[in-house]
Structure formats: C-alpha cells, structure tokens
Amino acid sequence: MRDQQVYLDYAAGAPLLPEVKTRMDEVGEGLVNGEYGNPSALYATGQRSRRLLDEARMQVALLIDAQPSEIIFTSGGTESNNTVIQAFQRQIIWTTPIEHPSILEPLRKFSRQKARFVSVDNEGRVSPKNFYRDPDPKYCPSLVSVMLANNEIGVIEPVREISMKCRSPKYKTLVHTDATQAIGKIPVDVNELKVDLLSFSAHKIGGPAGIGVLYVRKSAHVRPLLSGGDQERGRRAGTENLMLIAGLAKAAELARARLTEWDKVAGLRDQLRAEILREIPHVSCNSPKEGCLPNILNVSFEAIEGEAIQLMLDATGIAVSTGSACASSKLEPSHVIMAIRGDAEIAHGSVRFSLGLNTTESDIQKVMAVLPKIVAKLRDMSTLKAGEHDKES
C-alpha cells in the first residue's frame, strides 16, 4: 500500500510515537524474558508488574491533575464511555445531540426514555443556562455527560460552567466529560473542570490503540461494566495489558511536555481555513473561529459529497476524513453537522481536516495545490447546483 504523503486525520488517530514504541518494546521484551508476571500475583515478577502499573497510573494522573487511585485502565474511550452510560441505565441522563457514538448508542439502548438532549447553537456549543432551569426534583438527572471538545468540528464546550450549574446540595448529579479529542491538545484539569468522570483514549495522543482511561473521582461510585476479578480495585475486571499501559503512560508523559507546541498547529489550521475560503467558492466552515481545538477544521463544500473529496484527495496521497472514524461506514449525514446546520446537503458535503504536531506548512500547500481542482471537477460532474448557501464571510 502506498504511504500517505500528507496525513491530516489526527482526530481519528495519531501515529504511534517512536518513544512509545520503544517503551512498549522494552516491556514486551521483559514479558518474553519472564521479568514481568501477572500484576495480581504476590511473587517477585508479579510485584514488578504491579510497580509498572503504579508508575503508569501516576503518569496518566499527572496529565489530568488527578490522583493515581482515580485512574482506571480500560480498552479505550468507547469502553470508558459505555461504562459510564450503562452505570446509569434507567436513570435520567442529560447530554447533547453532538456526542460521540460511544455515548449516543448506549444511551439509545439503555436509557432512551430517560435521556434529555440539551440543544447546541450553530457553532455546536451548549449553553450552561440550559442546565437546571427551574427543574422539578423528580426529573433531576443522575448524570450529565457533555464532551469537552467535539471530534468532528473541534468546538470546546463550557464543561466547567456546566459542572458548576450541576453542583448543588439539593441534587445528586454526577458530571462526565468525554475528553478524548481534548487530551494533549489543550490543558485538561479534572479539578478545574470540576467533573466527576472523564474518558479518553491513548491512540489520539500517539499511544497504542486498545487502551484508554476512565477517571472516577474518589467521591463518585460507578458500577463496573466488566465483572470478574478484582483488578483495578474491583472497578474493571480482566488482567491488565502491561505493554499497552506502558505505551499509554509514555504517550501521556510526552503529551504533557508538548502542550505548548499546539499554538503552531493552530496557526497552520487558520492558514488552511483562510486559503480554502479564498480559493474555493461556495464553502462554509463548521468549526468555530474561537473556542475551538487547535487542530480541527471542518468544512462543507456545496453540491458535492465529502466522501468523493476524501477519495480524490487520497488518490493524491492526502488523508482526510468526512467526520468521526467510528461512523465512517454509515451513509447517513453527520449527526453533528445536522445538529448545527440542519441541512443534509451541507452535512453530506463536509470534510474534516485534523492536524498534528508533525503537520507542516508544506502539507498545507500540498492540499491547496490539489483541493480547488478536485472541488471544481466534482462540481462539474454533479447534478446539484452550488451557490444556494451563503459563503462564510
């Protein structure tokens, strides 16, 4: 398979960092040589594994300013989110219509009748004023779940303000945030956010796929999704995967050290936005200019399908997405774009460019060397008419 020349799909997954691979290889070699055993065992190799887990938990806790005992290792953000939603099944849950499918799908399965979807504005931002507006106590939610930053358009939600609204001695409401996209891009502090629960995945920050985190504040109690052994203090059964956890810990350490580098990425994102708006007619940006992650730019191209743009860019060696990688096999328009724009044509024509720390100005230039031509060619072939929607100013 031909290597991509330009990778602009970091929101789907960041390439494994060399330092992370090195650390995983070290642990893997130790497993082969018998240096590590089952972390639950009392003999020496088991206790060596236990120390590795404790060190990893500390690194992850430092990334979000949590206590190590509040960190639960899971198989990824999806499992973490499912754990939270299923723990509150048949209870009242408030959320937004633009959450990740790993929140929305278990909600539909377990709590459809008791879920309330708090609307967002045309930038995808939810207003804290919509929480606890003259509530009837019997309809008070047990859980509020609002993602910290959206995976398709990058909008940053006012999670701290929402948490403050939900903190009341009269109501026992826990606040959860899916921070998968925000981690490693912006500072994330569970105490500043005042959340009780937080989820994220390693593969978004250059760690391995298949490992993630669920933060649970000491004062919160969440029923485990997986039952069996007493691993993770009885909060998630199953023998811990030492190699993946070591990789996650190294990725967390690097993410914390490189937070200040994302200003450069924001500049490249803004450059791409400006050039697309200048060079291509009949487009609109779905990502807000302010209050947005530094690396995500979602653009809708009128009268053509985003998938067609994606495929033609791929043919030139440029990788982008049409939205969440977890929903890439579905033909329905993006639920996020539909929530903020309400227009299926605009939603079908959306493309997500997501940049990373390795993105360069040359990458932006390569995109702009081919994108206007691709859009023009596809519009020539389209039976739809461009220009019915206003171009963003």
Side-chain angles (χ1 to χ4, degrees), residues 374-392:
I374 288 173
V375 172
K377 181 176 181 179
L378 289 172
R379 282 178 175 161
D380 285 343
M381 299 165 57
S382 176
T383 58
L384 300 174
K385 181 180 179 182
E388 295 181 356
H389 301 273
D390 293 332
K391 178 180 178 181
E392 181 171 314

Side-chain angles (χ1 to χ4, degrees), residues 31-64:
L31 287 166
V32 171
N33 296 333
E35 296 177 25
Y36 296 110
N38 190 308
S40 299
L42 295 179
Y43 44 77
T45 56
Q47 290 307 294
R48 191 175 294 120
S49 298
R50 174 58 53 187
R51 286 193 294 273
L52 185 153
L53 286 179
D54 290 343
E55 292 168 2
R57 218 179 296 276
M58 174 65 76
Q59 285 293 343
V60 173
L62 286 171
L63 181 60
I64 59 174

Side-chain angles (χ1 to χ4, degrees), residues 127-349:
S127 172
K129 293 187 297 184
N130 291 333
F131 292 84
Y132 290 109
R133 187 169 51 192
D134 298 322
D136 183 331
K138 67 180 180 181
Y139 296 119
C140 173
S142 298
L143 176 73
V144 167
S145 181
V146 177
M147 65 196 333
L148 185 52
N150 187 264
N151 55 300
E152 291 194 33
I153 60 176
V155 62
I156 299 172
E157 301 292 353
V159 171
R160 174 185 165 82
E161 290 77 6
I162 292 169
S163 296
M164 295 297 290
K165 283 278 188 180
C166 294
R167 285 187 176 275
S168 165
K170 186 176 180 180
Y171 306 112
K172 295 181 180 180
T173 298
L174 296 185
V175 178
H176 165 254
T177 189
D178 177 356
T180 300
Q181 290 296 333
I183 289 287
K185 316 299 188 307
I186 60 175
V188 177
D189 183 325
V190 293
N191 298 301
E192 176 69 19
L193 293 172
K194 299 190 179 301
V195 294
D196 303 288
L197 306 154
L198 180 146
S199 310
F200 72 91
S201 291
H203 70 284
K204 307 296 187 181
I205 57 172
I211 186 72
V213 170
L214 175 60
Y215 157 80
V216 180
R217 189 177 292 278
K218 283 183 179 180
S219 58
H221 300 282
V222 175
R223 184 174 63 252
L225 178 67
L226 301 178
S227 299
D230 197 40
Q231 292 88 355
E232 299 298 295
R233 292 185 171 89
R235 299 173 300 181
R236 198 270 188 181
T239 301
E240 295 91 346
N241 189 317
L242 292 181
M243 284 183 64
L244 295 185
I245 289 172
L248 162 63
K250 189 62 179 181
E253 177 188 353
L254 294 170
R256 191 162 60 96
R258 303 186 71 180
L259 266 176
T260 58
E261 298 180 34
W262 287 92
D263 288 344
K264 177 201 72 172
V265 179
L268 292 173
R269 185 271 319 273
D270 291 344
Q271 177 184 341
L272 178 60
R273 178 187 188 124
E275 293 194 19
I276 288 175
L277 290 174
R278 183 176 65 247
E279 300 295 332
I280 304 175
H282 311 305
V283 301
S284 55
C285 288
N286 302 309
S287 298
K289 289 182 179 180
E290 304 294 335
C292 185
L293 289 178
N295 68 316
I296 290 183
L297 176 66
N298 191 298
V299 181
S300 286
F301 299 83
E302 287 186 33
I304 47 179
E305 294 283 337
E307 286 83 359
I309 298 175
Q310 179 187 27
L311 291 172
M312 292 189 74
L313 283 174
D314 179 63
T316 70
I318 298 170
V320 300
S321 172
T322 55
S324 170
C326 299
S328 61
S329 63
K330 295 185 178 180
L331 297 177
E332 294 86 358
S334 160
H335 69 283
V336 175
I337 308 303
M338 287 299 294
I340 66 172
R341 302 293 296 273
D343 187 312
E345 180 186 329
I346 291 295
H348 276 299

Side-chain angles (χ1 to χ4, degrees), residues 359-372:
T359 303
T360 65
E361 187 171 355
S362 175
D363 293 333
I364 304 304
Q365 292 171 350
K366 288 176 181 177
V367 171
M368 293 311 301
V370 297
L371 183 59

